[in-house]
Amino acid sequence: MEPVFLTLADTVGAARRRSAKWAADDPDVLPLTVAELDVALAPPVADALAAAVAASDTGYSWAVPGLGRAWAGFAARRWGWAVDPAAVTAVPDVEVGVVEVLRALGARGRPVAFSPPVYPPFWAWVAVVGAVACEVPLARDPWRLDLAALDRAFAEHRPAAYLLCSPQNPVGRVHEAAELAELVALAGRHGVPLVVDEIHSPLTLPGAVHTPLLTVPGAADVAVSVLSASKAFNLSGLTCAAVVSGSPAGRAVVDRLPPDLTSRTGHLGVLASVAALEHGDAWLDGLLAALAARFDQLGDLLARHLPEVGWTRPEATYLAWLDVSALPGDPVEAFLRRGRVALQDGARFGGPGFARLNAGTGPDVLAEAVARMAAALR
Ligand SMILES: Cc1ncc(COP(=O)(O)O)c(C=O)c1O
């Protein structure tokens, strides 16, 4: 099933979307920023939403047992992960899920470790629970967990939790099973609970293999996972995510979450997520193939127009992490001011000298954006 991407004509005038990605910049700017996907909804999702609107079925959500069953089916088919539907707790979004899990782990006033470059709200989430950010940067070339540094940080700082981003936004790294096994061993040895944000896992690209953290032997005793269909199926505005546990210890953490979280999850989000997870496989496979082609295109465009920009092709996500440190001045500012193309400055992710480019768009939009970026530097 072929996903239908926005074209350049859809980026101007009345056709321009009104979501955060499209509204935040001036109307002549091509936004390659916020992690929204420029696709038409997967048909099963569009049908489910249209049916709900036709029936004025827009009340509060009721996620049990549908959301848990849908995740269990998806996890088994895509990753061979046996999820107990009863161990899936609906939460409004990943942010709320992670923040409330950190609170449940008693993180207030204590360090919480994570590994930049990473999704900027990780700092905000730690701050909002009154914890202290403990940065243990990724190792480079290739980007990967710095297990020796994590060992030292766990021993020295005794963090209340380690917050893992898997796959990692913005570098697109799919952490290997052996790395995750070592992380779980460290967590067990030092008594550090793991919270894994796996929102990008459905976006693992052809050739890479995502290992759900809770499938690593021993992980379920020390970790809980936070998942959502929202990145892969572009459902962020509908709000639906899930906290998944896999052991009595994990369940005990989830049992301490505020009870009304589940009912604050969006009803349309639950309906759309269940439709996506149960009937979206063929569309998702088409999307992943299209994103692989988009990264081929991006590699060609960069080599031709911006050879000074370095990048490592991501193994997951639709995000490219560009090394712009060889460019003069402030390239992100120049791209925006002179090129009318918005990227996100890597400094926000803990990666100064880098920029994040959202390649989840149509081929003509991407080609136009890179041409404008190159022109802006001339
Ligand atoms: C790693 C990561 N976690 C969480 C989110 C946000 O998820 P939510 O909107 O469900 O809070 C994003 C959004 O891009 C993300 O990249």
Side-chain angles (χ1 to χ4, degrees):
M1 206 183 291
E2 280 289 304
V4 179
F5 283 89
L6 297 190
T7 66
L8 260 184
D10 300 319
T11 67
V12 290
R16 191 171 166 105
R17 289 182 176 176
R18 294 167 297 170
S19 58
K21 177 182 182 181
W22 292 93
D25 289 293
D26 291 339
D28 65 327
V29 168
L30 286 180
L32 275 57
T33 50
V34 181
E36 298 178 15
L37 202 48
D38 298 346
V39 282
L41 285 172
V45 173
D47 291 347
L49 291 171
V53 170
S56 299
D57 181 8
T58 52
Y60 291 111
S61 64
W62 193 261
V64 178
L67 188 68
R69 278 194 200 142
W71 270 115
F74 186 85
R77 292 193 309 279
R78 309 282 306 182
W79 305 308
W81 175 18
V83 169
D84 174 1
V88 175
T89 300
V91 292
D93 56 26
V94 167
E95 167 165 335
V96 169
V98 170
V99 163
E100 293 302 336
V101 167
L102 290 177
R103 284 204 177 104
L105 289 168
R108 186 178 178 76
R110 299 181 57 200
V112 168
F114 57 90
S115 296
V118 77
Y119 181 57
F122 273 35
W123 282 269
W125 298 347
V126 168
V128 95
V129 302
V132 182
C134 172
E135 298 178 24
V136 188
L138 293 179
R140 281 189 66 168
D141 303 322
W143 295 105
R144 64 196 184 283
L145 298 176
D146 188 338
L147 293 160
L150 286 169
D151 192 10
R152 288 193 299 274
F154 288 3
E156 190 179 329
H157 301 294
R158 303 260 154 225
Y162 174 68
L163 178 54
L164 174 68
C165 189
S166 179
Q168 182 109 4
N169 167 15
V171 302
R173 168 73 168 177
V174 173
H175 303 295
E176 287 171 8
E179 293 175 278
L180 297 175
E182 181 63 25
L183 176 68
V184 168
L186 291 177
R189 199 152 67 236
H190 294 289
V192 176
L194 302 176
V195 183
V196 61
D197 172 348
E198 294 183 316
I199 193 170
H200 289 282
S201 53
L203 288 165
T204 302
L205 294 164
V209 178
H210 169 69
T211 303
L213 185 64
L214 294 190
T215 65
V216 173
D221 293 326
V222 294
V224 295
S225 168
V226 189
L227 281 161
S228 178
S230 63
K231 285 297 133 191
F233 292 92
N234 205 43
L235 309 175
S236 300
L238 302 175
T239 71
C240 176
V243 178
V244 181
S245 60
S247 71
R251 184 76 232 179
V253 175
V254 176
D255 285 345
R256 294 199 292 276
L257 297 178
D260 59 347
L261 279 191
T262 286
S263 59
R264 296 288 133 193
T265 304
H267 178 47
L268 295 181
V270 172
L271 297 178
S273 299
V274 170
L277 296 168
E278 288 188 341
H279 306 293
D281 281 17
W283 182 90
L284 180 57
D285 288 336
L287 175 73
L288 297 175
L291 293 177
R294 204 68 80 250
F295 284 127
D296 290 344
Q297 182 197 2
L298 180 62
D300 288 346
L301 288 167
L302 292 174
R304 225 159 353 108
H305 298 295
L306 288 166
E308 313 85 345
V309 170
W311 77 307
T312 309
R313 194 189 161 94
E315 300 165 308
T317 77
Y318 43 82
L319 308 165
W321 185 236
L322 306 182
D323 181 348
V324 295
S325 59
L327 299 178
D330 181 344
V332 174
E333 168 67 14
F335 295 149
L336 179 62
R337 203 161 31 83
R338 292 206 292 273
R340 314 307 286 159
V341 175
L343 305 188
Q344 281 173 316
D345 194 324
R348 292 183 51 208
F349 299 77
F354 285 80
R356 196 187 76 170
L357 179 150
N358 180 346
T361 191
D364 59 342
V365 178
L366 187 63
E368 173 70 12
V370 176
R372 288 196 205 175
M373 288 160 61
L377 297 179
R378 284 200 290 271

